[in-house]
């Protein structure tokens, strides 16, 4: 079904729309709009020489029992499929290599509640306080320990 009877009606309608858009400034973006691109927020460990962690990253004590089963803050937990554990040097660590060792870690969870990203902390990162600990209403996992002592 052709709604425009003649091609000139369609072309004149498109030209009218383009003229109206340019009049109202819809086609041109101001240069300041490029400066307002949201940047991912990070936590304050980077201020003490640490890595940048996503906002909402939680802190706890992790011990790998038998991969993918772990103990987090003394409770049984599980690593998600494709979970990544990073060493203090930011290198990937296989869960089987750290079985039975306790570490102070920052971690995130996936939508199913399983551990998705785990970062083993350096002593400097461990001394930095977590913003999510001060604001527990942002945290859907309220059983996180406030202990910032390294447990290695």
């Amino acid at each position: 079904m052709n709604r425009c009877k003649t091609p000139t009606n369609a072309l004149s309608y498109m030209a009218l729309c383009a003229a109206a858009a340019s009049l109202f400034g819809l086609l041109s973006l101001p240069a300041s709009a490029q400066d307002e691109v949201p940047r991912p927020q990070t936590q304050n460990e980077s201020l003490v020489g640490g890595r940048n962690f996503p906002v909402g990253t939680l802190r706890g004590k992790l011990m790998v029992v038998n991969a993918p089963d772990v103990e987090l803050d003394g409770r049984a937990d599980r690593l998600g499929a494709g979970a990544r554990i990073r060493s203090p040097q930011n290198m990937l660590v296989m869960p089987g290599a750290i079985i039975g060792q306790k570490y102070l870690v920052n971690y995130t969870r996936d939508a199913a509640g399983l551990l998705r990203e785990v970062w083993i902390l350096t002593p400097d990162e461990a001394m930095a306080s977590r913003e999510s600990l001060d604001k527990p209403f942002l945290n859907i996992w309220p059983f996180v320990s406030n202990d910032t002592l390294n447990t290695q």
Side-chain angles (χ1 to χ4, degrees):
M1 173 163 99
N2 191 357
R3 294 189 186 265
C4 298
K5 300 290 184 199
T6 61
T8 55
N9 288 345
L11 292 176
S12 61
Y13 180 71
M14 288 191 311
L16 182 64
C17 288
S22 64
L23 266 178
F24 293 112
L26 297 176
L27 293 181
S28 62
L29 290 175
S32 64
Q34 295 173 356
D35 298 333
E36 297 172 7
V37 174
R39 304 278 188 253
Q41 297 177 356
T42 57
Q43 292 290 167
N44 58 357
E45 283 89 347
S46 62
L47 297 176
V48 294
R51 295 169 279 187
N52 290 328
F53 299 107
V55 169
T57 301
L58 307 173
R59 179 165 292 166
K61 295 176 189 173
L62 177 87
M63 181 176 72
V64 178
V65 177
N66 187 11
D69 298 323
V70 298
E71 215 174 83
L72 185 65
D73 293 331
R75 295 189 173 103
D77 213 329
R78 199 165 172 89
L79 293 171
R84 289 181 281 190
I85 301 175
R86 300 235 177 224
S87 71
Q89 294 80 26
N90 214 24
M91 308 261 313
L92 284 177
V93 176
M94 297 296 116
I98 58 172
I99 289 178
Q101 300 174 21
K102 287 188 177 184
Y103 294 101
L104 186 65
V105 298
N106 284 351
Y107 63 93
T108 59
R109 293 190 179 268
D110 61 9
L114 302 174
L115 295 174
R116 188 181 97 209
E117 294 278 341
V118 178
W119 294 272
I120 299 172
L121 300 178
T122 65
D124 291 336
E125 292 170 342
M127 298 310 291
S129 63
R130 297 295 303 160
E131 183 178 328
S132 60
L133 292 177
D134 299 333
K135 299 178 182 177
F137 61 88
L138 297 176
N139 181 357
I140 60 171
W141 305 102
F143 51 79
V144 177
S145 170
N146 287 352
D147 187 9
T148 58
L149 298 176
N150 197 341
T151 59
Q152 290 188 18

